[in-house]
Amino acid sequence: QHRKLASIGMRAIVLSGPGSADVLELKDVPKPDVQPHQVLVHVRAAGVNRPDISIRSGKYPGVNTSAGMILGLEIAGDIEVVGDKVKRWKVGDKICALIKEGGYAEYALVDERHCISIPEGWDYVEAASLPETVFTVWHNVFQKARLQKGETFLVHGGSSGIGVTAIQLARAIGAKPYATAGSDDKCRACEKLGAERCINYKTQDFEKELKDEGVDVILDMVGGDYIAKNIRILRPDGRLQFINAMAGSKAEFDVKDVMVRRLTISGSTLRARPDEFKAQLAADVEKHVWPLIGQGLFKPVIFRTLPLEEAAQAHKLMEESSHIGKIMLRL
């Protein structure tokens, strides 16, 4: 009674190879086959994320971008087929999920352990905006960097999907979030979400602005000349966590300074982590973050939603970096 069979084909956005947004093509492709511990989700919405851009461009660490790939790391939709050994879910359940690829399609396969029920009162687009950013922020800021109540936290790219997530979650647990962003409008948006202060990096130097107070935890996706600046403003026992290095991955800093102040410098990528790790992360997110959503302490920030066939336009929009919050695809 837990099975439901469907037609064979589906629409998907497929890469013709690595390159610009123009390599994204709408095609009819076969539906994927469900394995025993997987569910097949009828996708209603999918998120567009910075790693999608990196993978499409052939620049994501450890990924061999090739023709035929279907991008998309996060989805929301309805379960249409369940595998033989699936225990938690049934046909018709509404879920959101983190996936390795395949989100820009009408149907996607998901390990059953990577699914979480859509929060009450949230629509598909809002729910699909959660997994990639929430999983990334929870793992890097709270599990690895161990941000605590009362500590000071800085996120670069505060108006990005990662940024708006990090600000809200840091505020929700009682930390003091700060942010950087590239315009006064973006800064005001960050402050409205809960940032103590957002620094416009085009008119101010975040190091000068924050050096007197200092910061306990920094989440950086910029790299480049931010690396040494980050290290200099960290308080003793401070933690610096990298999730990207869009401005460059190499820097020079004084290791003795790191030793004296007992700093921790780390980083991670999520896509290549084993299924077991993602399953545990999903369980932790459901346990710790979903209650905050239920209390109204975390809200979706959707910049724009486009139809699936306009995925290339969605990528161009992200590359323009004028957005505040998430760019989404609706199916």
Side-chain angles (χ1 to χ4, degrees):
Q1 67 272 26
H2 296 301
R3 305 272 173 69
K4 181 180 177 182
L5 296 177
S7 58
I8 296 171
M10 66 176 186
R11 294 185 310 145
I13 298 293
V14 178
L15 291 182
S16 61
S20 70
D22 296 327
V23 302
L24 298 170
E25 300 178 347
L26 183 66
K27 289 188 173 183
D28 288 318
V29 299
K31 273 188 191 176
D33 294 324
V34 181
Q35 301 302 310
H37 291 286
Q38 293 178 326
V39 296
L40 182 69
V41 178
H42 186 183
V43 179
R44 307 293 186 174
V48 176
N49 293 286
R50 188 66 64 175
D52 298 342
I53 308 294
S54 299
I55 294 169
R56 188 209 73 211
S57 305
K59 298 177 181 177
Y60 192 90
V63 177
N64 180 24
T65 303
S66 58
M69 287 183 69
I70 301 173
L71 300 177
L73 300 170
E74 59 184 352
I75 58 168
D78 312 303
I79 293 178
E80 181 150 317
V81 182
V82 296
D84 294 338
K85 296 183 179 179
V86 170
K87 297 177 180 177
R88 177 176 178 183
W89 306 103
K90 64 182 184 300
V91 170
D93 284 344
K94 300 180 186 302
I95 61 94
C96 57
L98 180 75
I99 57 178
K100 190 173 183 179
E101 61 188 35
Y104 296 5
E106 288 182 309
Y107 294 89
L109 286 179
V110 188
D111 184 315
E112 71 156 326
R113 301 168 300 170
H114 302 168
C115 300
I116 306 178
S117 294
I118 290 178
E120 186 175 353
W122 285 46
D123 63 28
Y124 291 116
V125 170
E126 292 169 338
S129 77
L130 288 170
E132 198 274 341
T133 51
V134 170
F135 282 46
T136 298
V137 169
W138 187 257
H139 177 55
N140 285 279
V141 177
F142 298 94
Q143 291 184 332
K144 287 179 69 69
R146 308 177 311 283
L147 181 66
Q148 304 294 315
K149 181 178 180 179
E151 287 190 317
T152 300
F153 168 65
L154 171 64
V155 59
H156 295 298
S159 61
S160 67
I162 292 288
V164 300
T165 300
I167 290 168
Q168 292 187 83
L169 290 182
R171 175 63 68 186
I173 65 111
K176 291 175 60 180
Y178 290 81
T180 62
S183 74
D184 290 342
D185 285 345
K186 289 181 176 181
C187 283
R188 281 192 291 270
C190 291
E191 289 166 358
K192 189 175 180 179
L193 286 169
E196 296 272 330
R197 181 185 174 198
C198 183
I199 298 157
N200 184 341
Y201 64 79
K202 292 184 178 177
T203 59
Q204 296 173 295
D205 184 334
F206 75 86
E207 181 185 5
K208 292 179 181 178
E209 298 298 320
L210 294 175
K211 65 179 181 180
D212 290 340
E213 179 172 4
V215 180
D216 294 299
V217 174
I218 301 174
L219 182 64
D220 187 18
M221 61 188 79
V222 179
D225 64 355
Y226 278 30
I227 298 172
K229 291 183 177 186
N230 288 331
I231 291 170
R232 289 195 291 265
I233 65 171
L234 279 173
R235 291 173 173 172
D237 296 302
R239 289 87 77 196
L240 170 58
Q241 192 73 17
F242 290 100
I243 55 170
N244 202 344
M246 293 188 293
S249 57
K250 296 181 180 180
E252 185 173 309
F253 58 89
D254 189 341
V255 173
K256 289 183 179 178
D257 182 31
V258 174
M259 293 162 57
V260 168
R261 288 189 286 139
R262 303 172 303 281
L263 306 181
T264 301
I265 301 172
S266 185
S268 74
T269 60
L270 192 53
R271 184 183 184 276
R273 301 297 292 274
D275 288 342
E276 288 288 342
F277 167 83
K278 292 178 183 176
Q280 185 58 57
L281 181 55
D284 288 347
V285 164
E286 186 170 20
K287 178 180 178 180
H288 296 288
V289 179
W290 255 233
L292 300 177
I293 293 173
Q295 297 168 40
L297 297 175
F298 181 92
K299 300 182 184 300
V301 182
I302 309 298
F303 179 70
R304 190 171 302 171
T305 304
L306 294 91
L308 177 67
E309 54 267 25
E310 294 182 20
Q313 181 59 37
H315 275 225
K316 291 174 183 177
L317 193 62
M318 174 161 280
E319 289 174 306
E320 290 170 4
S321 291
S322 61
H323 59 288
I324 298 171
K326 297 281 294 196
I327 298 169
M328 305 297 298
L329 298 174
R330 181 188 287 113
L331 287 85

